[in-house]
Amino acid sequence: MDTVLSGIRSTGNLHLGNYFGAVKNFVRMQHENRCFFFVADYHSLTTHPKPENLQNNIRTVLSEYLAAGLDPEVATLYVQSDVPEIPELYLLLNMNAYVGELERTTTFKEKIRKQPENINAGLLTYPVLMCADIIIHNADKVPVGKDQEQNLEMARKFARRFNHMYGVEYFTMPEPYNFGQELIKVPGLDGTGKMGKSEGNGIYLADEPKVIRKKVMRAVTDEGPKVPNSPMTEPVANLFYLLELLSTPDVVEHFRAQYNGCTIRYGDLKKQLAEDMISFTSPIRDRILEIYNDDEYLRKVVRMGAEKARESASKTVRDVREILGYRSF
Ligand code: TYM
């Protein structure tokens, strides 16, 4: 049985990228494996959320996980900050992570470019915290999107280094995972790049139908193919990518044939895409609203999750302390 683990930062609502990149895969694996799924609320501190928003952000992400199909009775579903063993392991791992390698990570370099006014040490050591998240339960498989590939590579590097430095075979090497295929990058509606929380180009699981229609109808396209079987420009290829995720194969085939025959009207494709997105998100959205307001249920879920997560995490931290040489008098 594999140990499967994944997490999502509590910085906003879940979008289709989070769903198809991570949550869907996790949901499909939860019954056959030892599974951990958590709300990465320490990671969200790098962007300095207002204290009055922090708790709501956690509640939002938690409700959306549950609404998307995570079963807290079978998987261990917890909030990162409820497990103090994680920051302890993070501290210990930080001693063997080198500033040079952290500075070279793509995500860190991107942050420097995007938010030069807030390059905090938490951003630099983000991959170390992520490594602690993962190896604290000795996870083998980590369902994530393509954007997390480098963070996973760093996690393996730190785990391998620990084993090597102390001459042990303690930590497993965690692999990024997608159920039966390559890691994916769900595109946004702005023509280029991935769907993201900070990019403002996403469809959220909690979006109302009219919002989805509006966003999709505004999606970037091009002037249309001029000759049969032309290669697609990025914005159009992205719309087809989304169509493949959300529509039936015959719908995709229908629009592909129209594209190849130069008869396509992007407006029709967008209408269809919006309706298929709505059919997909509507039942999830209804559940989100129900769960979000159910204090008692949420309290029960996090209490149960924290207990199970701490049981596994405290064993790891005890072992690591022992390996490092912390012994009782
Ligand atoms: P975050 O919160 O940015 O994203 C959560 C998950 O959603 C995936 N994802 C996507 N997948 C495909 N296409 C997209 N457009 C897309 N956008 C987001 C991400 O790959 C991720 O799997 N550092 C992580 C959170 C984290 C974590 C962990 C994940 C903290 N510790 C340990 C796994 C294991 C993050 O910021 O993800």
Side-chain angles (χ1 to χ4, degrees):
M1 191 194 279
D2 283 322
T3 297
V4 179
L5 173 139
S6 200
I8 295 191
R9 260 175 312 144
S10 52
T11 44
N13 296 83
L14 299 196
H15 52 64
L16 292 176
N18 299 136
Y19 180 81
F20 287 104
V23 180
K24 181 183 176 196
N25 291 305
F26 189 89
V27 167
R28 290 169 73 173
M29 300 168 89
Q30 63 185 345
H31 292 280
E32 280 88 47
N33 300 279
R34 176 176 176 254
C35 282
F36 295 90
F37 210 100
F38 71 100
V39 181
D41 59 340
Y42 279 142
H43 287 275
S44 80
L45 286 183
T46 57
T47 54
H48 302 164
K50 290 201 168 68
E52 59 269 31
N53 294 339
L54 191 74
Q55 193 59 23
N56 262 346
N57 291 346
I58 297 169
R59 177 187 280 255
T60 299
V61 173
L62 192 64
S63 314
E64 296 187 355
Y65 278 169
L66 289 161
L70 253 114
D71 183 348
E73 298 289 338
V74 293
T76 298
L77 178 57
Y78 59 100
V79 177
Q80 188 184 31
S81 63
D82 281 341
V83 184
E85 290 79 8
I86 298 170
E88 180 168 357
L89 183 60
Y90 164 61
L91 178 142
L92 300 174
L93 291 172
N94 261 322
M95 308 305 164
N96 309 335
Y98 297 102
V99 172
E101 63 191 348
L102 294 170
E103 279 174 341
R104 282 193 298 277
T105 58
T106 321
T107 36
F108 182 67
K109 288 198 277 193
E110 230 169 63
K111 291 285 181 208
I112 296 185
R113 205 165 39 78
K114 281 195 189 154
Q115 51 175 71
E117 72 296 344
N118 178 22
I119 308 301
N120 58 63
L123 277 176
L124 183 69
T125 57
Y126 189 106
V128 187
L129 179 54
M130 198 161 148
C131 175
D133 292 331
I134 298 169
I135 68 177
I136 203 148
H137 303 298
N138 251 318
D140 310 276
K141 290 186 176 145
V142 187
V144 285
K146 184 111 187 113
D147 58 311
Q148 297 298 322
E149 214 167 19
Q150 192 178 27
N151 281 334
L152 260 294
E153 204 178 294
M154 302 286 281
R156 283 195 300 280
K157 186 190 271 191
F158 300 140
R160 195 177 303 115
R161 187 175 293 159
F162 180 93
N163 285 349
H164 183 74
M165 280 177 84
Y166 297 100
V168 290
E169 282 299 323
Y170 188 75
F171 288 120
T172 319
M173 296 304 125
E175 297 291 338
Y177 187 78
N178 185 324
F179 206 89
Q181 49 173 321
E182 296 284 288
L183 299 185
I184 63 165
K185 178 174 107 179
V186 178
L189 296 167
D190 50 353
T192 177
K194 66 159 187 158
M195 186 175 287
K197 284 180 196 138
S198 44
E199 283 78 356
N201 62 0
I203 299 286
Y204 295 92
L205 297 178
D207 276 345
E208 285 183 30
K210 64 173 188 291
V211 173
I212 296 184
R213 285 193 192 101
K214 206 161 155 190
K215 285 183 180 175
V216 175
M217 293 320 282
R218 276 208 215 116
V220 177
T221 51
D222 58 21
E223 290 173 347
K226 300 279 184 290
V227 287
N229 302 316
S230 325
M232 286 181 196
T233 58
E234 193 182 352
V236 174
N238 286 351
L239 286 182
F240 271 93
Y241 192 107
L242 291 168
L243 203 64
E244 273 175 26
L245 284 177
L246 290 141
S247 303
T248 55
D250 52 313
V251 166
V252 179
E253 216 22 70
H254 166 78
F255 285 108
R256 209 178 278 288
Q258 287 196 340
Y259 179 87
N260 287 332
C262 303
T263 56
I264 191 159
R265 290 200 314 217
Y266 292 135
D268 294 344
L269 182 153
K270 287 177 174 181
K271 270 191 202 132
Q272 176 77 42
L273 179 60
E275 293 317 309
D276 289 339
M277 279 178 173
I278 291 165
S279 314
F280 172 75
T281 53
S282 283
I284 301 182
R285 184 168 163 271
D286 293 345
R287 284 197 296 273
I288 293 173
L289 297 174
E290 228 173 83
I291 295 170
Y292 186 88
N293 293 309
D294 193 343
D295 283 346
E296 200 180 319
Y297 177 62
L298 289 175
R299 241 194 321 269
K300 183 176 146 215
V301 167
V302 292
R303 202 184 310 123
M304 193 166 71
E307 204 174 290
K308 286 196 274 175
R310 288 198 69 185
E311 195 181 310
S312 155
S314 58
K315 180 184 178 311
T316 306
V317 169
R318 240 187 347 262
D319 292 345
V320 167
R321 290 177 64 97
E322 174 80 22
I323 292 168
L324 289 173
Y326 290 104
R327 314 265 150 83
S328 48
F329 288 103

